[in-house]
């Protein structure tokens, strides 16, 4: 095989992530992973008779993967221009705007590892754009297309934002050991005022259906906590607004 690659997919319980990746915050290994979190993780899961993969989904997958594999077989990788894709101007402008905005937000927040994470995601977003364009080309039958369009870039931006949020959450989890479903954690943090008491945090968390134990885990901070500073007993301040 002239162009080997390995795709690794696996699962891990969020509760053991801090122990597994504690030594990988500085070496860049953790930021090379793309994490997928289930917003409903922790809720009861019951089997039912409708769990089989829908036949329509399988038919769609087979209709896509065949032409996609044929496209790969038709490329001559010894010729640099045989499989070269270029961005259409509006698609390129979208990615430039996204990167500039992310760069500004990272600089303003000074969040731990935020810029380092962005450096990885901004390379992935190019690949996401290409993948989405290939999928569109196969779906429409335009397999001779060599232009990445705005529609593919838009999907790539959404996917990059999703993985960026998950990476920030994972780094926070490794640093603090706080295991909270990602959507609830970020919404809870955003809902807190600049300065707040433990009673205010409990009231906000109660509205969001967070348990009392979960809220107190979020407030169990030390001087190295990346997001919350404890001013004195029962009084806290957000580090980033």
């Amino acid at each position: 095989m002239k162009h080997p690659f390995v795709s690794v997919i696996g699962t891990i319980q969020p509760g053991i992530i801090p122990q597994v990746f504690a030594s990988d915050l500085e070496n860049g290994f953790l930021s090379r992973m793309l994490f997928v979190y289930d917003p409903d993780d922790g809720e009861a899961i019951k089997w039912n008779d409708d769990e089989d993969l829908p036949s329509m989904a399988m038919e769609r997958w087979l209709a896509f993967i065949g032409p996609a594999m044929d496209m790969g077989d038709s490329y001559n990788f010894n010729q640099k221009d045989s499989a070269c894709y270029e961005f259409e101007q509006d698609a390129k402008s979208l990615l430039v705007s996204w990167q500039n905005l992310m760069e500004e937000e990272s600089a303003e927040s000074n969040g731990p590892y935020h810029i380092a994470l962005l450096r990885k995601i901004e390379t992935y977003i190019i690949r996401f754009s290409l993948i989405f364009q290939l999928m569109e080309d196969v779906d429409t039958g335009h397999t001779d297309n060599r232009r990445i369009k705005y529609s593919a870039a838009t999907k790539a931006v959404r996917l990059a934002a999703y993985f960026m949020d998950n990476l920030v959450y994972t780094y926070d989890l490794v640093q603090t050991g706080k295991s909270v479903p990602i959507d609830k954690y970020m919404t809870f943090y955003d809902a807190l005022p600049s300065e707040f008491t433990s009673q205010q945090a409990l009231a906000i968390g109660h509205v969001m259906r967070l348990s009392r134990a979960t809220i107190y885990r979020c407030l169990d901070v030390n001087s190295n906590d990346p997001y919350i500073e404890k001013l004195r007993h029962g009084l806290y301040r957000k580090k980033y607004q």
Side-chain angles (χ1 to χ4, degrees):
M1 187 175 181
K2 295 182 179 180
H3 304 279
F5 66 93
V6 177
S7 295
V8 180
I9 301 175
T11 60
I12 186 172
Q13 296 88 348
I16 66 173
I17 285 179
Q19 290 75 36
V20 173
F21 296 106
S23 62
D24 295 316
L25 289 177
E26 302 292 343
N27 61 23
F29 176 71
L30 189 61
S31 60
R32 286 176 167 80
M33 296 186 179
L34 298 177
F35 288 90
V36 176
Y37 284 95
D38 179 6
D40 298 322
D41 187 36
E43 297 184 3
I45 300 176
K46 297 181 179 180
W47 290 4
N48 58 63
D49 292 334
D50 299 324
E51 289 294 331
D52 293 338
L53 183 67
S55 58
M56 182 178 296
M58 180 61 72
E59 292 171 1
R60 288 280 294 168
W61 169 250
L62 293 175
F64 166 76
I65 196 63
M69 295 296 291
D70 292 340
M71 289 175 66
D73 293 338
S74 67
Y75 290 150
N76 180 359
F77 290 100
N78 294 321
Q79 298 180 9
K80 294 183 178 181
D81 60 345
S82 64
C84 181
Y85 278 69
E86 295 183 358
F87 281 91
E88 293 188 348
Q89 186 56 51
D90 56 352
K92 182 179 180 180
S93 297
L94 176 62
L95 295 195
V96 169
S97 297
W98 171 85
Q99 194 279 338
N100 289 180
L101 177 61
M102 292 297 294
E103 191 77 21
E104 292 173 2
E105 291 181 352
S106 297
E108 290 175 359
S109 69
N110 288 316
Y113 309 107
H114 202 277
I115 293 180
L117 297 180
L118 175 59
R119 292 294 173 264
K120 299 296 189 300
I121 293 296
E122 65 187 12
T123 61
Y124 294 151
I125 197 172
I126 306 297
R127 304 176 190 181
F128 296 158
S129 299
L130 177 60
I131 291 171
F132 279 122
Q133 188 58 58
L134 288 171
M135 294 177 70
E136 289 185 11
D137 292 343
V138 169
D139 190 49
T140 59
H142 298 153
T143 54
D144 57 343
N145 174 56
R146 294 296 181 269
R147 306 281 289 180
I148 297 178
K149 305 180 185 299
Y150 182 84
S151 56
T154 300
K155 296 170 185 175
V157 166
R158 292 176 61 187
L159 187 59
Y162 169 77
F163 282 125
M164 184 69 176
D165 287 344
N166 286 354
L167 274 171
V168 171
Y169 173 73
T170 303
Y171 266 75
D172 179 40
L173 182 59
V174 172
Q175 287 186 303
T176 66
K178 299 172 184 175
S179 179
V180 182
I182 186 169
D183 62 332
K184 291 185 179 180
Y185 178 86
M186 299 309 293
T187 304
F188 174 62
Y189 183 82
D190 291 340
L192 293 170
S194 299
E195 288 190 8
F196 59 94
T197 65
S198 55
Q199 291 304 312
Q200 288 176 307
L202 285 169
I204 293 172
H206 179 72
V207 173
M208 298 173 56
R209 302 179 65 183
L210 291 174
S211 69
R212 189 180 184 89
T214 293
I215 297 168
Y216 274 118
R217 281 202 304 272
C218 292
L219 300 181
D220 183 19
V221 300
N222 55 43
S223 59
N224 295 320
D225 189 274
Y227 296 119
I228 298 176
E229 175 185 9
K230 186 174 183 178
L231 301 178
R232 62 175 185 269
H233 180 70
L235 183 63
Y236 303 84
R237 176 190 294 147
K238 290 166 61 172
K239 292 184 177 180
Y240 308 107
Q241 305 305 318

